[in-house]
Amino acid sequence: MADPLPPSSPPPLAKDPPSSLPWYSPSLDSISPAAREVLEQYSGIPAAEVIPHVLEIRALAFRIHPYPCIGQFRFLDLSLSLHPLYASLLRRFLSASAPTLLDLGCCFGQDIRKLLHDGAPATSLHGSDLRAEFLELGYQLFRDRPSLGGGGGGGGATFVAADVFAEGERDALRPLDGRVDVLHAASFLHLFAWEEQVAVGRRMVRLLSGKGALVLGRQVGSLRPGEYERKMGGGGSVYRHDGASFARMWAQIGRETGTEWRVEVQMEEGKGWDGQGRQWNDEYTRRLRFEVEWI
């Protein structure tokens, strides 16, 4: 097995991110019916206040770190609910033996709030993000701290600030080792280079409950897979996959952990929040949606 990577550090607090960043959308004219339903019915936000409320929270989050998914309001996609397996997953959550889910790199925990709104039991749902500030903004966005019991369990969904590369006592994810049946990782793996993604995959294996466990998500991919310059946050590179390279990576994870995986990938045209092409991406950029099963 390859040597573990050193623990990562949170990106520096952005003092005043320029609105000229190409992935920053300054306005929000409308949101999807699904996101509006969660904010109005689950969170109890009056219809006229939804968009101003979202804009206020987005502004706070973008000052913490100007991720494209925040600048483009991608957190309103509720991406897990768009996965082809969502309907079958929801049936499992509504059954007597609900699976345990971890949303790794959950940002505001928006996919967990969608699951809660759709009836999933809170005690089965866990979210983690490197930045505790994003978890706190999730409570503000969805106005549900009282109903979730502060996010630390005790009958509610659990949220924890965690570094996926941390080891030993610094590893806040250890209580979930061997317990996770469904691991959701959206807009997460693409933040790292190949070997870092493999290291994350090894950590996922320790979290998962065993054969039949699923890893689901979406991320930036490319028809020309390879290392790309990291455009923000300390230099270095990130790896963008196509279907073949993503399967090769999971084959490597399997060799290093003694596991086997079924890998399915869909490559899709990605659009900006306004439905137009993303000018900061090249012509080969695609959205990669994946389903990985431990077999």
Side-chain angles (χ1 to χ4, degrees), residues 29 36 80 104 181 183 189-190 232-233 240 242 245 248:
D29 297 326
R36 179 170 285 279
L80 179 58
L104 189 61
D181 303 305
L183 194 153
L189 287 170
H190 67 208
M232 58 182 177
R240 291 185 178 182
D242 66 359
S245 71
R248 285 198 306 274

Side-chain angles (χ1 to χ4, degrees), residues 19 24-31 51 54-55 58 70-73 76 273-274:
S19 59
Y24 180 84
S25 295
S27 61
L28 180 63
D29 297 326
S30 63
I31 64 175
I51 287 180
V54 169
L55 286 169
R58 195 282 297 263
I70 293 174
Q72 282 277 294
F73 301 101
L76 294 175
W273 182 253
D274 58 2

Side-chain angles (χ1 to χ4, degrees), residues 207-244:
L207 286 161
L208 294 172
S209 58
K211 291 184 177 181
L214 293 171
V215 180
L216 308 174
R218 71 176 191 187
Q219 62 192 50
V220 176
S222 178
L223 298 178
R224 290 188 171 180
E227 300 284 346
Y228 287 77
E229 179 185 2
R230 180 179 280 120
K231 295 183 179 180
M232 58 182 177
S237 64
V238 298
Y239 196 95
R240 291 185 178 182
H241 290 279
D242 66 359

Side-chain angles (χ1 to χ4, degrees), residues 21-124:
L21 285 172
W23 53 81
Y24 180 84
S25 295
S27 61
L28 180 63
D29 297 326
S30 63
I31 64 175
S32 70
R36 179 170 285 279
E37 179 180 304
V38 171
L39 289 165
E40 291 184 15
Q41 297 182 19
Y42 170 81
S43 302
I45 300 172
E49 297 178 15
V50 165
I51 287 180
H53 178 64
V54 169
L55 286 169
E56 178 183 2
I57 299 299
R58 195 282 297 263
L60 294 171
F62 203 71
R63 287 178 63 84
I64 293 169
H65 196 72
Y67 288 115
C69 59
I70 293 174
Q72 282 277 294
F73 301 101
R74 294 262 66 102
F75 55 91
L76 294 175
D77 287 354
L78 308 177
S79 65
L80 179 58
S81 69
L82 302 178
H83 197 283
L85 285 182
Y86 185 72
S88 62
L89 282 176
L90 191 58
R91 286 193 293 272
R92 290 176 61 190
F93 279 114
L94 298 178
S95 71
S97 55
T100 296
L101 175 137
L102 171 63
D103 192 355
L104 189 61
C106 68
C107 193
F108 307 134
Q110 62 275 1
D111 290 292
I112 287 178
R113 269 61 175 215
K114 170 63 172 168
L115 281 164
L116 288 168
H117 178 62
D118 287 343
T123 52
S124 294

Side-chain angles (χ1 to χ4, degrees), residues 127-196:
S128 74
D129 200 275
L130 179 63
R131 283 199 166 273
E133 301 99 318
F134 287 162
L135 302 179
E136 173 59 34
L137 287 174
Y139 295 124
Q140 296 181 37
L141 177 61
F142 294 102
R143 297 181 178 176
D144 61 355
R145 181 184 294 278
S147 63
L148 291 185
T158 300
F159 292 97
V160 60
D163 182 346
V164 72
F165 297 117
E167 298 179 342
E169 294 182 358
R170 295 181 60 252
D171 182 3
L173 293 172
R174 282 197 303 172
L176 288 172
D177 280 353
R179 296 177 51 201
V180 176
D181 303 305
V182 181
L183 194 153
H184 181 236
S187 299
F188 184 68
L189 287 170
H190 67 208
L191 299 173
F192 308 109
W194 177 286
E195 286 303 325
E196 291 173 312

